[in-house]
Amino acid sequence: MTAQALERPAVRRRGGDLADRLGPLGLAAVAVVALITLAALCAPLITSHDPAIGSVIERYQGPSAEHLLGTDQSGRDLLARLLYGARTSLLGAAVVVLLAGAGGALLALVAAWFGRTVDALVGRVLDLLFAFPNLLLAILAVAVFGTGLGQVTVALAIAYVPYTARVLRSVALRERRLGYVQAAELQGLSGLVVSVRHILPNIAPQILTGAAINFGYAMIDLAALSFLGLGVQPPTADWGLMVSQGKDSLLQGHAQQSVFAGVCIVVAVAAFSVIGERLGGRKAGGRA
Amino acid sequence: MRICAKAVLAASLSLGLAACGGGPAGQKTADRKLDDLLVTTPAAQRDLDKATWNLPFGEPASVDPIKAFNYPENTVVANLCEGLTRLDPDYSLKPNLAEKVETADQKTWVFTLRDDVRFWDGTPMTADDVLFSLRRHLDPDEGSYWASDQITGNIASIEKTGEHQVTITLKKPDATLNSYMATPIGVVVQRAQREKAGAKYGTPEGGVMCTGPYTVSSWAKGSSITMLRNDAYWDASRRAKTRQVDLRFIVDPGAIASALETNAIDGSYDVPIDAVDRLSASGSGTLYLGKSLQVVAVISTGSGPLGDPAVRRALALATDRDAIAATVFSGTAQVPRSLVPRGGWTYGDGVFGPANDALPGTAKNLDEAKKLLTGADLGNRTITIAYPSERQFYADILSEMSNAARELGLTIQPKGVPSAQYGAFFSDAKARAGYDGFMTTNYMDVPDPLAFLRTIAAKGGSQNFDGHSDPETQSLIEQAAGTLEESERAKAVAELQTKVMERMPWIPIAAPSVRLFLRKGVTGVPASFVYLYYPWAADLGAA
């Protein structure tokens, strides 16, 4: 065994300049994501309006100094609802990718470390999960546990696990066969320690880039579930819910609510997708 | 790069659309005249070969009359099957399959049947068919949705008392029984066909055999029902004017509005509230506002702060219901003082009018509302109210009520429930657990205030969701039910109404008008809320 073979490849992966990999478009996407996150966090500083309070007397107001983007069908300030809606939209998607990333990494490491029967078993479980469309699984969770962001978030996270686990398993398997892992084993380190301390850091870039791509998909799925009335419940502000609530307003010629919320979803999803693709593309555990 | 370009394009288009769609600040719905609502549209002048109609609440689950207990089923069955009596568009009760009804004590009701009525297959309607049909509601194996303690549960016996005569004997007097004979409770079906169809009865495969002005020609599940005129209808003067009526099941508000504007469908009841302004301005047809029997209300389950009558009355007073009627309902609803819609007073004009005027006003009065809550123990001050999540207008109403609650030191927590689960709120106490109230668009089965108030306030009433009962209310109900003479009955019902509204088990929000749209060139259908039991399609014809 040569010294080169025993060297941990981490330095090789960290060597690339992040800014170079992202490029101008990727950096712009990062700026967009940062802006949205900042707006969500600073919502109370940007607007004094409560996103859940309004009066029907003030419904469908046009843009004014008081309401920069106008009001919705309940007379609520649209800008406030967009800003606060970013919180639920981002938070839900973040929880989905965090849980899916954690679950996927765990399954990948277990499959890679034990191999053979365990690997085959994990593979079949993932196949089973693949058989259920994401939204169907979430709707099933709603039927059993009721409507709400928490329920659909957990259900979607479970649905996203196979997408993450499938890619991470192949990366972890490759790492498992490398010399530095075998050297650590020879030193008597346990499988748990080798997996967590040595393999996990080396598959982390794939976890992160997969998460970036899945973030966009999770936003779309959560928005769809809120649109169907299964996710975030009124009067909580949420972009998907706003698209849904604005649907009936279209009949009255007031497209603002649906359009503004729709634009926010499109921009956020596109930004996360660009970041994910620049970091590693679909090879890195993104949803197919 | 491709994703980004698409996103930018979509964003630009969307912003452009938003700019075009944005309405001017403070845009008002056109004022609508609601003082003299219509009962019918101009009579048809000529026959029509074919018309397409929409059922905005979706496809019927069955056309078996005893399973017809909701908008889709009743709107169809009303054209197929007939009752012993008939409710006309002006809410007057007329003889129908029974040519005469007699009672001396409101306990024994004798129905003399017509001898010239024939089913669609040409066989005559007999007293045995009538007996069989009425008794179906008493048979648990048939599973009638109309079975209830107050109506069918009050029936002691149903007997054939002559070749063309059937007698219903009640356990307690009930002056409203005859009105219910215009609903599916009094509908007659052919016994032989019912027995032959077995479990498939009422389905596209099993069908029904009735006497009405239309027959079911075909039923493409999930797509449409085609009704064909019954050319051998027993009452030639009321023969249907349109040969074929295709019923569609479009439920999406936008799709309904577009279909009406483009004349893809010729008409629809219950057009979407949000489409009212657009359809009013449409040149493709006419929007009619009719006399209704509906009321939109918040029902108390008896739990939480809403279980306190003072809180309910305070919320009613503090909520700007006039604003709700003008905006959420686009000016097509009125604010009722009572849970009984104004259209539901079909007798005792001289009694109900003054009694209604004596009820507390509907204008927002925050000071008075606060006085009502002085000293009240409001517990945790949070009121959880459920509503069908697909119906945006309920969320708008609750948003406005939340403002009122906040001013009273209360918090309203609206909770959307998918419609598929929401139906259980009306039949299963477990489904209502955890909620202090739930929204409803309720309607009177028959235009008799007694029949409606009884469901809400009587002990064991089918809509007595907070379980309250008191001897005085019960006594008034029984007194009214035992009084056939209408002006006398009206006095007892008016007193009952005052008592019910003091407790206000439901908070009345709005009394919506019937919203009917007809394309240019077709006319004749009723504009009132009789279309659930009256053969409305038979009146449809060319202008």
Side-chain angles (χ1 to χ4, degrees), chain B residues 73-104:
Chain B
E73 291 80 12
N74 286 117
T75 310
V76 178
V77 170
N79 294 292
L80 310 176
C81 307
E82 302 176 288
L84 295 179
T85 58
R86 187 183 75 238
L87 198 60
D88 271 359
D90 62 358
Y91 297 140
S92 61
L93 201 61
K94 299 281 168 56
N96 202 36
L97 300 183
E99 62 184 7
K100 195 168 68 175
V101 186
E102 294 164 293
T103 183

Side-chain angles (χ1 to χ4, degrees), chain A residues 25 53-57 59-62 73-74 147 229-230 233-235 245 247-248 251-256 259-260 263 266 270 273 277-278, chain B residues 1 3-4 7 11 14-15 18 21-27 252-254 257 274 278 320 323 327-328 387 392 396 399-400 403 406 414 416 418:
Chain A
L25 187 62
I53 295 177
S55 171
V56 291
I57 296 168
R59 67 177 359 208
Y60 300 135
Q61 297 275 309
Q73 76 290 336
S74 295
T147 55
L230 305 176
Q233 294 297 305
Q245 291 191 319
K247 193 163 57 84
D248 291 346
L251 289 174
Q252 301 209 20
H254 303 285
Q256 303 96 307
V259 170
F260 288 146
V263 167
V266 168
S273 299
E277 292 204 347
R278 293 289 156 136
Chain B
M1 183 65 86
I3 289 176
C4 185
S14 303
L15 283 169
Q27 186 181 24
D252 179 75
D274 288 309
R278 188 169 143 186
D320 194 342
T327 57
V328 178
Y387 69 96
Q392 175 61 38
D396 297 341
S399 172
E400 192 59 30
N403 296 337
R406 207 173 298 113

Side-chain angles (χ1 to χ4, degrees), chain A residues 104-216:
Chain A
L106 178 70
L107 287 175
L109 290 173
V110 167
W113 187 262
F114 293 105
R116 296 174 185 274
T117 311
V118 176
D119 187 23
L121 189 65
V122 168
R124 297 298 80 75
V125 171
L126 294 181
D127 288 344
L128 255 177
L129 285 171
F130 268 124
F132 289 94
N134 300 346
L135 288 180
L136 196 64
L137 201 66
I139 290 168
L140 185 68
V142 166
V144 177
F145 302 110
T147 55
L149 182 62
Q151 290 87 324
V152 297
T153 300
V154 172
L156 274 185
I158 294 169
Y160 274 60
V161 163
Y163 296 105
T164 313
R166 183 180 57 177
V167 176
L168 293 182
R169 174 190 159 275
S170 64
V171 183
L173 270 176
R174 191 186 64 205
E175 297 293 325
R176 173 76 175 90
R177 294 189 193 106
L178 290 180
Y180 77 95
V181 173
Q182 291 166 11
E185 248 187 312
L186 283 173
Q187 287 172 24
L189 296 179
S190 70
L192 180 66
V193 172
V194 176
S195 297
V196 173
R197 284 194 190 162
H198 300 281
I199 301 179
L200 188 60
N202 283 292
I203 65 170
Q206 279 75 19
I207 297 176
L208 286 176
T209 48
I213 293 174
N214 280 340
F215 201 100

Side-chain angles (χ1 to χ4, degrees), chain B residues 293-302 306 309 312-313 315-316 321 336-341 401 426 437-444 452-457 461-467 500-509:
Chain B
L293 296 176
Q294 294 171 296
V295 64
V296 176
V298 180
I299 299 176
S300 165
T301 60
L306 203 62
R312 298 194 291 266
R313 290 170 59 193
L315 270 175
R321 291 179 286 172
R337 289 174 184 242
S338 167
L339 286 170
V340 179
M401 285 191 80
F426 295 86
F438 58 106
M439 301 287 311
T440 181
T441 299
N442 225 276
Y443 58 84
M444 301 168 73
F452 189 53
L453 289 171
R454 187 168 56 184
T455 67
I456 297 168
S462 58
Q463 301 198 95
N464 185 348
F465 296 110
D466 67 353
V500 170
M501 293 315 294
E502 274 172 18
R503 273 198 74 249
M504 203 180 278
W506 302 6
I507 302 172
I509 302 295

Side-chain angles (χ1 to χ4, degrees), chain B residues 445-514:
Chain B
D445 287 332
V446 293
D448 187 326
L450 169 62
F452 189 53
L453 289 171
R454 187 168 56 184
T455 67
I456 297 168
K459 185 178 181 183
S462 58
Q463 301 198 95
N464 185 348
F465 296 110
D466 67 353
H468 175 86
S469 67
D470 63 78
E472 202 180 335
T473 302
Q474 202 62 31
S475 164
L476 280 170
I477 289 170
E478 283 170 20
Q479 181 192 334
T483 309
L484 192 62
E485 207 285 307
E486 290 186 336
S487 62
E488 284 304 308
R489 184 157 90 246
K491 287 177 189 168
V493 176
E495 203 178 330
L496 171 67
Q497 175 179 250
T498 304
K499 192 145 185 59
V500 170
M501 293 315 294
E502 274 172 18
R503 273 198 74 249
M504 203 180 278
W506 302 6
I507 302 172
I509 302 295
S513 311
V514 171

